[in-house]
């Protein structure tokens, strides 16, 4: 506490002492209730009749160690897919969002196309997109590339760009029209206005929402396993089948959580920082 | 060299069914300061936006110097860079530092090399006493400071014409003077200015000519001393009496 230099009135000293005791009490109450709750849950689960067998088939250390190398190798594939999909989503969704904000009748066909795309891919379940793209497009024998990992990445990009472009569009529309007016009045072109004035402000406004979508995609990359890619989920499935033990799934699940945690924390931190910059009514 | 900087002929603008400008004729000479006065909704802002090609005309022509800028073959971005406009709400770019706000148009539209554009921007900021704020973001500045930055941003490309749209209306009374002083200084240096304003005392003091707009048409125009002291039209008299007239409180119209 930094109370040294400034003189403090007796009233404030009294208020602070009162708040301190109140705080201590609240912390104690919540700590005790959390502990009690955890212990009750634990005792209930451990005393269920089936616990012994569940523990063996879901939380077996030896199986976990044995499955580790394969699952880690699979997770590396997930990370690669995530990396390329993120870049693809960012590029495609900014383009779609920009197209949807173009005004004037000459842009109508493009605008309609972009709108149809977002409607379609926001409605289609990702798993169906994966099947259609992952098995359908290679079936055309149009492209030399037939890697399931590649088409899985494309399917993710298609689905997530539909969501993320809507986030960007909301951000673009949240930038006040007077900003556009001011930019154009300086002689900036439509494109320059978008790039230099509107998009940077839009991105700032929607960053927390974008981070959330990234976290969602982080776990959805596991779905590419349905195309036969040996990612972490598929690796866990193989190990499970080999040992008749579900521990590899638990392990893979934990690894996905660990992968997502930094981004989740970062999102919380960024949102808190945004709030702190507009500090008003800090009591609430 | 043509003597006029700006010429409007029969300018009309409609929004939907309402005609906001009903045929405006106006000529502005080089170095002239013209004040646009008129009640709220009389079309002052619309007129300024039409001149800076931010609105499409429904009829009439506008010349900037000898160039017919209402001709659709004219590239509007080039024209806009030759006209500076300052808005009531400053409209600075909040994500750019003050110096980048000011230097933006020189860099991106005139393609001045960055170092040169920045040096010029800094010199302008220094002139208005804001050189020490160059690296700040706009929201760290007072309203009066922000509006001075907006003015400096508008003149950074050396425009032939400066349009001011009620630039003091959003300011606290004690900040109005610092902005008006800057306008006075610019007019003394020979900048050609068209300003929409509710600051009657200032208009009378600084403007060479006053144009009274009512319902989208020019009802009366003339030398400011004449219009303010001996308005010819009844509507002008009625409007002015709200500011200075008999029994008037001297307060401005909302
Ligand atoms: N984009 C628009 N769409 C529809 N109507 C508009 C638009 N802009 C202005 N108007 C209308 O045009 C008329 C003139 O507006 P304008 O802003 O030019 O008036 P003004 O003289 O600048 O008024 P003020 O002193 O309040 O700024 C008003 O009736 C307004 O409602
Ligand atoms: Mg106005």
């Amino acid at each position: 506490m930094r109370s040294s230099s400034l003189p403090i009135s007796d009233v404030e000293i009294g208020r602070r002492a009162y708040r301190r005791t109140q705080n201590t009490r609240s912390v104690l109450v919540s700590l005790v209730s959390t502990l009690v709750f955890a212990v009750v849950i634990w005792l209930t689960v451990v005393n269920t009749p089936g616990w012994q067998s569940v523990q063996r088939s879901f939380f077996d250390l030896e199986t976990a160690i044995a499955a580790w190398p394969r699952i880690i190798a699979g997770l590396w594939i997930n990370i690669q897919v995530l990396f390329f999909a993120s870049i693809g989503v960012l590029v495609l969704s900014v383009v779609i969002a920009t197209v949807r904000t173009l005004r004037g009748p000459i842009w109508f066909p493009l605008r309609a196309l972009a709108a149809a795309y977002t409607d379609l891919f926001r409605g289609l379940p990702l798993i169906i997109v994966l099947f259609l793209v992952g098995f359908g497009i290679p079936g055309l024998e149009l492209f030399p590339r037939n890697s399931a990992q590649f088409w899985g990445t494309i399917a993710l990009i298609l689905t997530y760009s539909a969501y993320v472009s809507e986030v960007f569009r909301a951000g673009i529309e949240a930038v006040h029209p007077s900003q556009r007016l001011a930019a154009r009045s300086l002689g900036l072109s439509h494109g320059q206005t978008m790039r230099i004035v509107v998009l940077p402000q839009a991105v700032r406004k929607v960053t927390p929402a974008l981070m959330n979508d990234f976290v969602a995609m982080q776990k959805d990359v596991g779905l590419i396993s349905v195309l036969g890619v040996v990612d972490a989920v598929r690796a866990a499935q193989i190990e499970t089948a080999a040992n008749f033990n579900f521990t590899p799934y638990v392990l893979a699940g934990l690894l996905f959580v660990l992968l997502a945690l930094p981004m989740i924390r970062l999102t919380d931190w960024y949102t808190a920082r945004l709030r702190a910059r507009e500090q008003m009514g800090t009591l609430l | 060299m043509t003597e006029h900087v700006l010429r409007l002929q029969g300018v009309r603008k409609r929004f939907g069914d309402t005609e906001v400008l009903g045929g405006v004729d106006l000529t502005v000479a080089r170095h002239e300061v013209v004040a646009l006065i008129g009640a709220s909704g009389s079309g002052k802002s619309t007129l300024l936006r039409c001149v800076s090609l931010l609105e499409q005309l429904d009829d009439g022509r506008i010349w900037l110097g000898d160039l017919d800028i209402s001709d659709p073959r004219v590239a509007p971005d080039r024209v806009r860079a030759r006209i500076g406009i300052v808005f009531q709400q400053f409209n600075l770019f909040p994500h750019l530092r003050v110096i980048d706000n000011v230097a933006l148009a020189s860099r991106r539209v005139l393609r001045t090399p960055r170092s040169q554009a920045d040096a010029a921007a800094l010199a302008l900021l220094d002139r208005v006493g804001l050189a020490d704020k160059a690296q700040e973001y706009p929201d760290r500045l007072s309203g009066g400071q922000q509006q001075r930055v907006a003015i400096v941003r508008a003149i950074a490309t050396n425009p032939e014409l400066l349009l001011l749209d009620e630039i003091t209306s959003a300011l606290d009374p004690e900040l109005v003077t610092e902005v008006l002083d800057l306008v006075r200084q610019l007019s003394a240096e020979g900048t050609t200015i068209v300003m929409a304003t509710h600051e009657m005392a200032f208009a009378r003091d600084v403007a060479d000519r006053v144009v009274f707009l009512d319902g989208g048409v020019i009802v009366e125009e003339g030398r400011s001393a004449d219009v303010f002291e001996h308005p010819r039209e009844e509507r002008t008299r009625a409007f002015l009496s709200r500011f200075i007239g008999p029994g008037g409180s001297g307060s401005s119209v909302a």
Side-chain angles (χ1 to χ4, degrees):
Chain A
M1 276 197 190
R2 205 156 45 87
S3 50
S4 49
S5 55
L6 296 172
I8 301 168
S9 70
D10 289 345
V11 182
E12 178 63 17
I13 290 174
R15 280 201 297 239
R16 286 187 188 180
Y18 176 73
R19 280 196 207 113
R20 254 197 309 277
T21 51
Q22 284 296 77
N23 274 345
T24 320
R25 264 186 50 190
S26 312
V27 169
L28 275 179
V29 168
S30 68
L31 195 68
V32 168
S33 53
T34 310
L35 273 178
V36 168
F37 182 71
V39 166
V40 167
I41 294 281
W42 175 249
L43 287 179
T44 316
V45 169
V46 169
N47 285 319
T48 47
W51 170 243
Q52 290 295 325
S53 70
V54 165
Q55 188 182 23
R56 239 178 293 118
S57 50
F58 283 86
F59 303 99
D60 187 57
L61 190 61
E62 263 171 51
T63 317
I65 292 171
W68 174 265
R70 204 166 198 161
I71 291 183
I72 281 294
L75 193 69
W76 177 235
I77 299 219
N78 288 121
I79 292 173
Q80 287 173 352
V81 170
L82 181 64
F83 177 78
F84 290 111
S86 308
I87 294 174
V89 166
L90 277 183
V91 173
L92 185 58
S93 56
V94 166
V95 171
I96 302 272
T98 313
V99 166
R100 291 201 68 179
T101 54
L102 291 177
R103 288 181 227 291
I106 50 166
W107 297 109
F108 176 77
L110 263 184
R111 246 188 350 242
L113 194 68
Y117 164 80
T118 45
D119 287 355
L120 183 66
F121 281 90
R122 275 192 304 165
L124 270 179
L126 173 57
I127 193 109
I128 292 181
V129 178
L130 275 166
F131 283 135
L132 293 182
V133 172
F135 296 133
I137 298 184
L140 297 175
E141 291 175 8
L142 190 61
F143 303 96
R145 273 197 84 162
N146 265 342
S147 130
Q149 183 179 337
F150 175 78
W151 291 115
T153 309
I154 296 293
L156 275 170
I157 293 175
L158 285 175
T159 296
Y160 269 87
S161 295
Y163 287 99
V164 173
S165 72
E166 286 299 283
V167 173
F168 274 123
R169 189 162 75 107
I172 289 170
E173 271 161 19
V175 175
H176 199 272
S178 62
Q179 287 285 309
R180 218 176 291 232
L181 205 67
R184 298 307 299 274
S185 78
L186 289 174
L188 298 187
S189 68
H190 178 87
Q192 285 177 319
T193 301
M194 230 26 213
R195 246 181 320 114
I196 304 168
V197 174
V198 177
L199 275 178
Q201 292 185 59
V203 167
R204 248 157 263 224
K205 282 177 205 283
V206 299
T207 300
L210 287 179
M211 290 165 124
N212 261 327
D213 280 341
F214 181 76
V215 171
M217 189 165 77
Q218 216 157 26
K219 50 183 200 240
D220 277 354
V221 291
L223 285 174
I224 58 165
S225 57
V226 300
L227 299 179
V229 182
V230 187
D231 74 327
V233 177
R234 181 86 177 141
Q237 192 186 10
I238 293 169
E239 291 289 331
T240 298
N243 303 308
F244 302 108
N245 189 307
F246 289 98
T247 308
Y249 275 131
V250 175
L251 178 63
L254 280 177
L255 287 173
F256 270 103
V257 173
L258 283 182
L259 191 64
L261 267 184
M263 200 62 193
I264 293 174
R265 285 281 78 80
L266 192 66
T267 312
D268 287 352
W269 171 82
Y270 186 79
T271 316
R273 206 187 66 147
L274 275 188
R275 273 174 62 143
R277 277 180 60 180
E278 302 159 2
Q279 44 180 279
M280 270 189 297
T282 46
L283 272 178
L284 306 177
Chain B
M1 191 162 101
T2 41
E3 88 231 275
H4 72 260
V5 173
L6 179 71
R7 193 149 75 85
L8 281 71
Q9 192 184 67
V11 168
R12 288 179 186 277
K13 177 68 194 168
R14 272 185 291 274
F15 289 113
D17 287 338
T18 38
E19 186 163 69
V20 176
L21 295 176
V24 173
D25 301 304
L26 182 68
T27 304
V28 179
R30 195 168 300 281
H31 307 309
E32 199 179 18
V33 177
V34 174
L36 282 179
I37 61 172
S40 183
S42 56
K44 306 182 294 291
S45 302
T46 307
L47 185 63
L48 295 182
R49 285 205 306 273
C50 285
V51 170
S52 48
L53 300 187
L54 296 169
E55 305 278 3
Q56 198 175 339
L57 302 189
D58 287 312
D59 202 357
R61 299 174 78 181
I62 302 179
W63 289 268
L64 184 65
D66 286 330
L67 179 69
D68 180 354
I69 61 174
S70 52
D71 184 335
R73 280 162 295 194
V74 169
D77 293 336
R78 309 299 311 172
V79 173
R80 291 193 196 107
R82 292 169 56 191
I83 302 176
I85 181 165
V86 184
F87 304 94
Q88 187 173 346
Q89 299 293 346
F90 329 142
N91 296 353
L92 294 177
F93 305 127
H95 62 299
L96 299 180
R97 292 173 199 278
V98 164
I99 181 130
D100 297 323
N101 263 279
V102 176
L104 184 63
S106 310
R107 284 189 216 145
R108 302 297 184 125
V109 182
L110 304 186
R111 310 265 171 211
T112 314
R114 195 186 174 108
S115 58
Q116 208 177 319
D118 284 3
L122 200 59
L124 278 173
L125 285 170
D126 190 39
R127 251 191 59 188
V128 297
L130 292 172
D132 57 326
K133 305 285 187 200
Q135 298 301 326
E136 296 277 9
Y137 286 94
D139 62 0
R140 302 287 300 274
L141 272 55
S142 76
Q145 291 172 333
Q146 288 188 46
Q147 193 58 298
R148 281 185 284 154
V149 172
I151 294 173
V152 160
R153 177 176 74 175
I155 61 174
T157 49
N158 285 315
E160 294 142 65
L161 173 66
L162 183 60
L163 308 175
L164 308 175
D165 190 0
E166 289 186 39
I167 56 171
T168 57
S169 297
L171 295 176
D172 291 337
E174 71 267 25
L175 300 177
V176 169
T177 325
E178 65 187 55
V179 171
L180 291 187
D181 282 347
L182 174 55
V183 177
R184 203 184 300 265
Q185 196 184 330
L186 290 174
S187 87
E189 287 163 13
T191 312
T192 312
I193 299 176
V194 178
M195 56 181 184
T197 185
H198 284 162
E199 297 282 343
M200 294 305 155
F202 180 72
R204 176 189 196 142
D205 191 21
V206 174
D208 302 302
R209 207 143 54 85
V210 171
V211 172
F212 173 57
L213 212 58
D214 192 25
V217 292
I218 294 179
V219 172
E220 177 163 358
E221 67 173 302
R223 289 183 35 233
S224 25
D226 294 343
V227 174
F228 281 113
E229 262 138 62
H230 313 289
R232 281 168 312 193
E233 300 291 328
E234 184 49 44
R235 278 195 275 173
T236 319
R237 257 193 294 275
F239 173 73
L240 287 175
S241 72
R242 302 226 290 268
F243 292 90
I244 41 184
S249 62
S251 64
S252 65
V253 195

